[in-house]
Amino acid sequence: MASKQFLFASFLYLIVITALVDCEIYTALSHLQRLVNIEMELSDALDDYIAEQEARLHRLKSFAEDVNIAMEQAKSDRDSYIGHPVSTYLMIKRLVKDWPTHVKSVEQEGDAEGILLDKLDNYRQYFPGQDDLEGSMDAIKRLQEVYDLNPMDFTGGQYGIRTALGSILTAMDAYNFGRGAYVSNDMENTQQWMEESLRLMDTEPDNQKDMPNRFSVLDHLAWSSHQLGDVRKAINYTIEALQLIPNHERSLANLNRFKEAQKLLGDKRSKDKKSREQKFSYLARKLPQDTLKSFDWFEERKIFKKLCRGEPMPQAPQSPKRLRCFYKTGHPLCTIHRCPIEVVFTNPDIMILHNIITDDEIEKVIKISEPLLNRATVHNPLTGKLEFAHYRISKRCWLNGGHDKLIDKINRRMTALTGLNFDTAEDFQVQNYGLAGHYDPHFDFSRDLENSSLGQLGTGNRIATVLLYMTDVEAGGATVFPYVGARVKPRKGNAVFWHNMLRSGEGDFRTRHAGCPVLKGWKWVSNKWIHEYGNEFTRPCSLSPDE
């Protein structure tokens, strides 16, 4: 814009000079010399303007190439593209940062009447915001934490996307992830992502359109290494940073601090994390309810992550004779059509209801649900209200026979398979989990029924749960039970079924469960929560507190 203004001003200067002199300019040598000087300045201004426009078009063309690469991937397999954590993050980043930046440059050049700007004006209301971008970054970090991944898995490994030049995730992307971890005081991820940023800067320089400040990367690495107890690394990174800015006061002070720490520690290395982990042998014992009520959250988190990764884990005591497959009988629907059930865990019983819904029915349920989806909420045990929470990331809606008779048909099948009364059950809840969608360990039953929104229904507590899988999940997304050591992988058309309460009417704390983050792909599930009222005779109470 500055070059254009200078060019216009120069033209005005020429006009004014021409108007002030007499005619027959060509007869006066001094006047011709002045005109040569003017045209020289105009020529320089024009060259600057052309260079500026070429640079702008080069940036625009480079951005268009990135978008075209992404769209080619989307055209070949849209579901796979959307279900990939890196491509989803990059798409959100482009719509939040890159598109608005390039649109602004087009607007400033006065090209506002083009088709591009018209389309952007129409679609701008659907663009994600900064919260979505930060959420997608948090999602990648969540996947990294739960599945024990390192940054290279996203830049060039199993979950990375690469072109002929290298990783689509750039050194600046890695720096931004590291910076986000640093702000959250997550020094381990800070170190990992900053090291990856440095590696990409050194190994893929031709693929880096926007390089982070190398000193800043080294500065973050030095401090995070110091915080993690690796003083030698902290010193080496600080020395390398000081080669870039020799008189940086804070780095000089830190270098002295790190050297003093090295003397005190004797360069003692931090202990291997694996040596500090427990073996969770208590899972192999039958723990009483009182113990489960006060279970340590940090231990639970470790079990949750190990189960999500599919690592070998001890399980609660099982009853081998009751681990079986059978066909349910005694209901007309199971006479017309076989109803296969598989008991996959005992203590408590966790069952798989096989082929409860067809692919065509699933497609119809999803089609009905999509326009109705909203962000899922959780019940706050302190306030009794429903609210959004970071530990449950999904979208959901509620369906019943009023939306389509198919829902009643599915409910009747569940009734046949579970043997429970669905008259007081909640509506059919459909949930969609996207990038790193998850639900941390929780109970389906209410621990304070009277003061909860669940208690306001007046139908008692949630006696049982049917969780229906409507998609296979390419990676991640398992349902896990930390107190049992159980893991159930999503299988399209199957449902997992369990009772949430003991026969005494007390909530069964062993049924605490979680939905693991979706690592790759999509996850559609639906819940059916069956309540106590109406099931007094189908599942009668017992005087034994543990039955």
Side-chain angles (χ1 to χ4, degrees), residues 213-242:
N213 182 286
R214 192 179 187 89
F215 176 86
S216 182
V217 174
L218 293 167
D219 193 31
H220 282 85
L221 278 169
W223 186 253
S224 58
S225 298
H226 165 65
Q227 292 293 95
L228 293 170
D230 196 337
V231 183
R232 178 178 291 180
K233 264 189 177 182
I235 292 172
N236 291 338
Y237 283 130
T238 306
I239 291 172
E240 189 176 348
L242 285 168

Side-chain angles (χ1 to χ4, degrees), residues 224-267:
S224 58
S225 298
H226 165 65
Q227 292 293 95
L228 293 170
D230 196 337
V231 183
R232 178 178 291 180
K233 264 189 177 182
I235 292 172
N236 291 338
Y237 283 130
T238 306
I239 291 172
E240 189 176 348
L242 285 168
Q243 290 175 352
L244 299 174
I245 307 179
N247 298 319
H248 195 271
E249 293 183 7
R250 178 167 48 77
S251 295
L252 289 169
N254 281 344
L255 184 59
N256 291 330
R257 177 191 297 178
F258 299 158
K259 287 181 176 179
E260 288 297 322
Q262 187 179 39
K263 291 177 182 177
L264 292 173
L265 294 173
D267 196 26

Side-chain angles (χ1 to χ4, degrees), residues 186-199:
D186 180 357
M187 293 299 150
E188 190 169 346
N189 270 326
T190 300
Q191 185 185 64
Q192 289 187 22
W193 280 106
M194 290 299 177
E195 284 178 343
E196 181 63 9
S197 179
L198 205 61
R199 187 190 72 81

